Amino acid sequence: MKNDLIAAIEAGGTKFNCAIGTGPDDIRLSTRIETTTPMETMREVIAFFDHGARQVGKFNALGIGAFGPLDLNKNSDTYGYITTTPKEGWKYTDLLGSLRDVFHVPMAIDTDVNAAALGEYTWGNGRQCDPLIYITVGTGVGGGVLINGKPLHGAMHPEIGHLFIPAIMSDAPEPDGVCPFHGSCVEGLLSGPAIAARWGAPAENFPAEHECWGEFSTLMALALANLTLTLSPQRIILGGGVMHQTQLFPMIQEELQRVLNGYLQTYELMEGVRDYVVPPGLGDQAGILGAMAMAQQLL
Ligand code: ADP
Ligand code: ZN
């Protein structure tokens, strides 16, 4: 129910954001916990919710949006685990189980980006959009997909951050990407660290007019073109630290139209393109609020 208190976790590679509340306008308590070792981090997370429940009231469900890859197959022995992550010390961590041992409420787990997509669908810029894609461009690149308001899972879950970009459509020679698995995939070319590696300084140092953003927009538009052609989304939300460069939105919209070259004559890709590629309505809160929305759906 809408007024039930919910516990929410956005589990990231740098920090775990935790909150108790009922929605965007009603966060009763929140904290950031550094991501160190699973043992230490989870101990702090559990302590926060334990004390929190005594302070603001018992929560009735718990939602987790986490970095991955995750095992989301409910029939699997490792359901709710972080699996093959390159993050030191976190391979095969039983994220869900460590919380289930302590808190006896219904729990939901999904990728951080599927959660963020749901947050935006419930309270942000993704309302009534079907399908909806949410992509974060930060330390890594990740993407979540909602179809009919439900996170897409399938064999695992979408891994949009590792799409390959067709270099042939870009004017520039293919740059060397930094993804340890694929080199020049989306994450290898467009993440914050990828920009820093290619252009020699942290992404936030480059002014809006810098040429790095032109190249970024072309490459991002190629990735969004592929997603558009595959999933036929009604909206694509781009969040994360790098997308704080708001000049990128019109640039990406224009490039998307250019690379699709008039093939898709839909409202979204013509006069509606300003509303097709948009920032998150919930800002950097999309993930944690999405975890909250996910848990709310269990009640
Ligand atoms: P995370 O991905 O770790 O959750 P963020 O989404 O904040 O965190 O992404 C961090 C990345 O975003 C860093 O690589 C940083 O260089 C980049 N970044 C942060 N702010 C900006 C900005 N204003 N412009 C461009 N890049 C930024
Ligand atoms: Zn990759």
Side-chain angles (χ1 to χ4, degrees), residues 9-16 35-38 41-42 64-72 80-93 95 109-115 136 142 157 159:
I9 303 172
E10 182 187 25
T14 323
K15 67 205 182 276
F16 275 45
T35 310
T36 55
T37 63
T41 303
M42 294 317 291
I64 310 159
F67 70 98
L70 298 173
D71 185 345
L72 297 177
Y81 279 53
I82 294 172
T83 60
T84 53
T85 179
K87 172 98 187 148
E88 195 67 41
W90 286 79
K91 266 195 187 64
Y92 289 95
T93 295
L95 201 56
I109 185 165
D110 214 315
T111 60
D112 44 7
V113 278
N114 267 346
T136 181
H157 48 72
E159 280 284 350

Side-chain angles (χ1 to χ4, degrees), residues 11-298:
T14 323
K15 67 205 182 276
F16 275 45
N17 289 318
C18 303
I20 304 178
T22 66
D25 304 321
D26 182 29
I27 302 291
R28 310 268 175 97
L29 205 62
S30 66
T31 195
R32 290 169 60 135
I33 292 164
E34 211 191 319
T35 310
T36 55
T37 63
M39 183 102 88
E40 194 178 13
T41 303
M42 294 317 291
R43 193 187 316 128
E44 283 187 53
V45 167
I46 288 165
F48 167 77
F49 286 118
D50 208 16
H51 295 151
R54 272 179 263 153
Q55 211 173 321
V56 300
K58 276 200 168 146
F59 50 87
N60 296 323
L62 187 151
I64 310 159
F67 70 98
L70 298 173
D71 185 345
L72 297 177
N73 173 2
K74 289 191 176 154
N75 298 320
S76 157
D77 290 342
T78 52
Y79 173 64
Y81 279 53
I82 294 172
T83 60
T84 53
T85 179
K87 172 98 187 148
E88 195 67 41
W90 286 79
K91 266 195 187 64
Y92 289 95
T93 295
D94 185 5
L95 201 56
L96 183 65
S98 64
L99 294 158
R100 269 190 177 157
D101 287 344
V102 183
F103 301 112
H104 305 285
V105 295
M107 293 187 191
I109 185 165
D110 214 315
T111 60
D112 44 7
V113 278
N114 267 346
L118 186 67
E120 288 291 320
Y121 183 80
T122 311
W123 293 303
N125 278 345
R127 279 175 268 198
Q128 275 141 25
C129 295
D130 178 32
L132 174 68
I133 298 178
Y134 180 97
I135 298 175
T136 181
V137 190
T139 308
V141 179
V145 179
L146 295 190
I147 295 182
N148 202 5
K150 299 261 179 297
L152 176 62
H153 291 146
M156 191 173 76
H157 48 72
E159 280 284 350
I160 286 169
H162 297 271
L163 283 178
F164 292 96
I165 301 176
I168 197 167
M169 292 285 291
S170 161
D171 295 336
E174 175 139 359
D176 289 328
V178 300
C179 175
F181 292 91
H182 319 112
S184 300
C185 63
V186 169
E187 180 168 296
L189 292 174
L190 301 182
S191 63
I195 297 168
R198 172 151 168 70
W199 299 93
E204 54 270 40
N205 289 16
F206 296 111
E209 322 70 61
H210 193 275
E211 62 177 316
C212 69
W213 301 123
E215 181 183 287
F216 179 99
S217 300
T218 300
L219 296 171
M220 178 59 86
L222 288 163
L224 300 192
N226 285 339
L227 290 168
T228 297
L229 294 162
T230 310
L231 292 168
S232 189
Q234 284 185 315
R235 186 164 289 165
I236 300 174
I237 297 176
L238 300 181
V242 175
M243 294 311 300
H244 289 170
Q245 300 277 337
T246 50
Q247 80 281 5
L248 288 172
F249 286 92
M251 293 168 75
I252 294 168
Q253 290 157 0
E254 227 171 85
E255 281 298 271
L256 180 59
Q257 287 179 318
R258 185 180 71 79
V259 300
L260 286 172
N261 198 23
Y263 179 62
L264 301 175
Q265 301 274 318
T266 60
Y267 171 80
E268 284 82 357
L269 286 158
M270 297 173 73
E271 60 271 42
V273 76
R274 299 277 169 272
D275 297 321
Y276 183 59
V277 181
V278 300
L282 303 174
D284 292 335
Q285 299 281 90
I288 186 83
L289 289 168
M292 198 168 275
M294 226 157 62
Q296 204 168 59
Q297 290 187 349
L298 299 171

